[in-house]
Amino acid sequence: NAGVTQTPKFRILKIGQSMTLQCAQDMNHNYMYWYRQDPGMGLKLIYYSVGAGITDKGEVPNGYNVSRSTTEDFPLRLELAAPSQTSVYFCASTPSPAVRNYGYTFGSGTRLTVV
Amino acid sequence: EDQVTQSPEALRLQEGESSSLNCSYTVSGLRGLFWYRQDPGKGPEFLFTLYSAGEEKEKERLKATLTKKESFLHITAPKPEDSATYLCAVQAEGTGRRALTFGSGTRLQVQP
């Protein structure tokens, strides 16, 4: 099925541990994004990429890192996990924001708890 | 800084009771306003994009409208399956990343 695939769906980390959240899309979209969603809050942009090899920070990048070696994959790395990083993480993609009437496609999310 | 405010935070309706959700926005230049539906434990699902004041779009029982300062999502004769959180987001002009700025959503519950 075409779309955005995120793994894992759930994860519990201990403070100070590291992990990588995986995101893959099979729609040949150039633009990819990582958002986090806290309870009762809107989605906040962590990092984004406009194509393979090009990444940049969003509003809340501290404590995270990304890479984009292929068009399909956009992993998010958490180094030294902290309780403040407990959240639901969503990956999204779009072919080009200039394409009209085409919404961003979101994955089903990774629910992360840091204890 | 782009801002999106949604109201009410939560709304409970009886089946068949029509209502509207509000999305107020502040953006330096609006390229597009997006509406998404989000079910519990799932990612947002695209509904509509509106691009200019006066534009309207419809999908089944939902109709979205846009003015220069706000957007409304009208729900006509809702059914229990319309229960979800509805998210509004804006895309600003002039930014290369073309990311979306989201509101905090309206949780809609439709009771049979």
Side-chain angles (χ1 to χ4, degrees), chain A residues 11-109:
Chain A
R11 182 72 184 267
I12 298 175
L13 277 183
K14 294 184 177 179
I15 294 172
Q17 288 185 321
S18 300
M19 76 165 292
T20 299
L21 282 67
Q22 301 291 344
C23 175
Q25 51 91 9
D26 57 3
M27 299 170 285
N28 201 34
H29 287 174
N30 288 322
Y31 287 69
M32 296 187 75
Y33 306 85
W34 274 105
Y35 287 89
R36 61 177 286 173
Q37 186 177 36
D38 299 318
M41 305 289 287
L43 285 79
K44 301 294 184 186
L45 182 66
I46 305 171
Y47 269 95
Y48 69 99
S49 170
V50 301
I54 306 170
T55 64
D56 207 347
K57 298 177 180 179
E59 280 80 31
V60 290
N62 292 343
Y64 307 96
N65 269 302
V66 295
S67 60
R68 183 99 181 268
S69 57
T70 67
T71 299
E72 295 77 20
D73 300 300
F74 189 39
L76 177 71
R77 178 81 177 164
L78 276 73
E79 304 282 1
L80 298 176
S84 61
Q85 294 178 304
T86 294
S87 189
V88 182
Y89 292 83
F90 290 102
C91 180
S93 73
T94 190
S96 164
V99 174
R100 292 174 72 87
N101 298 310
Y102 192 103
Y104 294 57
T105 302
F106 282 81
S108 58

Side-chain angles (χ1 to χ4, degrees), chain B residues 43-111:
Chain B
E45 176 186 344
F46 173 68
L47 292 173
F48 308 106
T49 310
L50 302 168
Y51 292 98
S52 56
E55 188 175 1
E56 299 183 351
K57 287 191 177 172
E58 292 188 57
K59 181 178 181 179
E60 296 181 356
R61 296 175 291 282
L62 302 177
K63 183 170 81 171
T65 61
L66 181 65
T67 73
K68 289 186 178 181
K69 294 183 178 181
E70 56 192 350
S71 176
F72 292 93
L73 184 65
H74 307 278
I75 303 176
T76 302
K79 297 182 178 181
E81 53 261 43
D82 294 322
S83 298
T85 295
Y86 291 86
L87 300 171
C88 172
V90 296
Q91 185 186 67
E93 286 280 14
T95 60
R97 63 189 188 186
R98 302 291 180 92
L100 301 179
T101 299
F102 282 86
S104 54
T106 294
R107 296 187 309 278
L108 174 65
Q109 184 178 10
V110 182
Q111 296 183 313

Side-chain angles (χ1 to χ4, degrees), chain B residues 13-44:
Chain B
L13 299 174
Q14 292 296 123
E15 184 172 2
E17 179 186 4
S18 302
S19 188
S20 296
L21 313 183
N22 177 262
C23 171
S24 299
Y25 63 89
T26 304
V27 64
S28 54
L30 180 70
R31 186 183 181 282
L33 186 140
F34 293 70
W35 282 99
Y36 282 85
R37 169 190 172 126
Q38 186 175 25
D39 293 303
K42 295 190 176 181

